[in-house]
Amino acid sequence: MTRPRIAWALGGGGARGFAHLGVLKVLQEADIPIDALSGTSMGAVMAVLYAAGADLKYLTALAGNIAWEKFVDLRFPRYGLVEGKRITPLIRLLTKNKRLEELELPVRVVATDLLTGEEIIFSEGEIEIAVRASISIPGIFTPVTYENRVLVDGGVVAGLPVGAAAEMGMDLVMAVSVPGELSQEAPRSVFDILYRTFEVMAKRANSLQAGKADYVIAPKVGKVGTGQFYRAEECIEQGELAAREALPEIKKIIEEFQARNKEQAALGAC
């Protein structure tokens, strides 16, 4: 019986995006189809790493042990507090120096053009440019200037990139959403203010996109701060738990799709 082709939309959320690793691990183990991926911000990072064939066990170990502060290159804050040049060599290394169109699965990376407000969807070209643009939280990372565009985080327009996934021609679109919960504590730094402002904006964008997906997995990582990368292991674990809980419903959706196809094929044969 023909199985559906499934595109997975991986949402942005900074450190919370490590939950995607846990979700992808469970999906892989359960033989749930992953035929295409779209990603915003940290979701874009995870999408390209997975599609490049990176080992999930290795990525999980790396996430929990790497000193992420070494990749924060602070600068004089003209357009952003972090230059972002240190992260691109790591992305290039982990994606084996491939271009987007050379990945094992089709991937769409979402960014936002500050000049027009448009959602920009990368489907080809250099991975590090697309990902660097997609993770550029306004005010934190400096924007990426590319082909007469000024690009920032895709979460400004599509924190959960369901629309980009839907355009990939698959049968079903499922998503993994990792928005943050708003804290009642007063902000403690300019980073905190910027992160929280972006989270408020992204949460609204997420809710609009989520309704377009066939199913949404929502790991319980809302209390993890966008910049709390030291909590990677916690997020990965929550991703695994959420995916395991979702497996029965996902399998049901797949079975219903197959039943509909069988019924339509039978009617067509009459």
Side-chain angles (χ1 to χ4, degrees), residues 253-270:
I253 292 171
I254 291 173
E255 289 168 1
E256 289 175 347
F257 173 89
Q258 291 174 320
R260 286 195 303 272
N261 266 15
K262 185 178 180 180
E263 183 179 343
Q264 290 171 359
L267 290 173
C270 293

Side-chain angles (χ1 to χ4, degrees), residues 11-263:
R16 296 184 297 276
F18 282 119
H20 297 310
L21 285 179
V23 172
L24 292 169
K25 176 177 178 289
V26 171
L27 296 178
Q28 193 176 69
E29 291 172 349
D31 291 324
I32 300 298
I34 303 174
D35 299 294
L37 292 157
S38 65
T40 292
S41 198
M42 195 62 162
V45 175
M46 297 305 165
V48 298
L49 294 185
Y50 184 86
D55 182 84
L56 291 178
K57 289 184 179 179
Y58 170 74
L59 292 179
T60 297
L62 181 66
N65 292 286
I66 197 167
W68 292 102
E69 64 274 7
K70 292 183 179 180
F71 295 94
V72 177
D73 42 355
L74 294 173
R75 54 162 287 158
F76 183 77
R78 185 182 179 192
Y79 296 120
L81 299 172
V82 179
E83 182 71 17
K85 290 182 177 179
R86 293 181 185 174
I87 195 69
T88 50
L90 179 63
I91 293 169
R92 194 178 304 121
L93 174 66
L94 293 176
T95 55
K96 306 170 186 178
N97 225 15
K98 294 181 179 180
R99 294 170 59 85
L100 275 170
E101 65 269 25
E102 295 171 342
L103 294 172
E104 296 174 12
L105 297 173
V107 174
R108 301 292 183 267
V109 174
V110 178
T112 304
D113 184 0
L114 276 184
L115 300 182
T116 64
E118 292 178 282
E119 176 182 359
I120 305 300
I121 302 175
F122 287 88
S123 60
E124 59 183 16
E126 296 179 31
I127 289 174
E128 59 266 32
I129 291 176
V131 171
R132 172 63 180 82
S134 190
I135 67 172
S136 297
I137 297 175
I140 300 292
F141 282 89
T142 56
V144 171
T145 302
Y146 179 72
E147 293 186 350
N148 297 318
R149 298 183 183 276
V150 179
L151 303 176
V152 295
D153 198 302
V156 174
V157 290
L160 190 63
V162 173
E167 294 177 5
M168 298 177 78
M170 300 291 118
D171 299 307
L172 297 172
V173 175
M174 299 192 185
V176 185
S177 181
V178 289
E181 295 179 10
L182 298 182
S183 173
Q184 300 304 306
E185 296 180 7
R188 292 172 292 180
S189 68
V190 64
F191 277 98
D192 204 8
I193 292 171
L194 290 169
Y195 277 138
R196 291 197 199 186
T197 301
F198 185 75
E199 284 174 3
V200 171
M201 183 169 49
K203 199 166 187 176
R204 288 181 177 273
N206 277 14
S207 62
L208 293 174
Q209 293 272 330
K212 302 175 184 178
D214 293 287
Y215 189 75
V216 179
I217 298 176
K220 296 178 181 178
V221 292
K223 294 186 183 301
V224 176
T226 300
Q228 293 180 332
F229 291 94
Y230 60 88
R231 299 177 70 177
E233 292 179 347
E234 175 186 345
C235 293
I236 293 168
E237 181 180 344
Q238 288 300 321
E240 290 186 31
L241 288 172
R244 288 197 184 97
E245 290 176 1
L247 282 178
E249 185 62 28
I250 293 171
K251 290 177 179 179
K252 180 183 176 183
I253 292 171
I254 291 173
E255 289 168 1
E256 289 175 347
F257 173 89
Q258 291 174 320
R260 286 195 303 272
N261 266 15
K262 185 178 180 180
E263 183 179 343

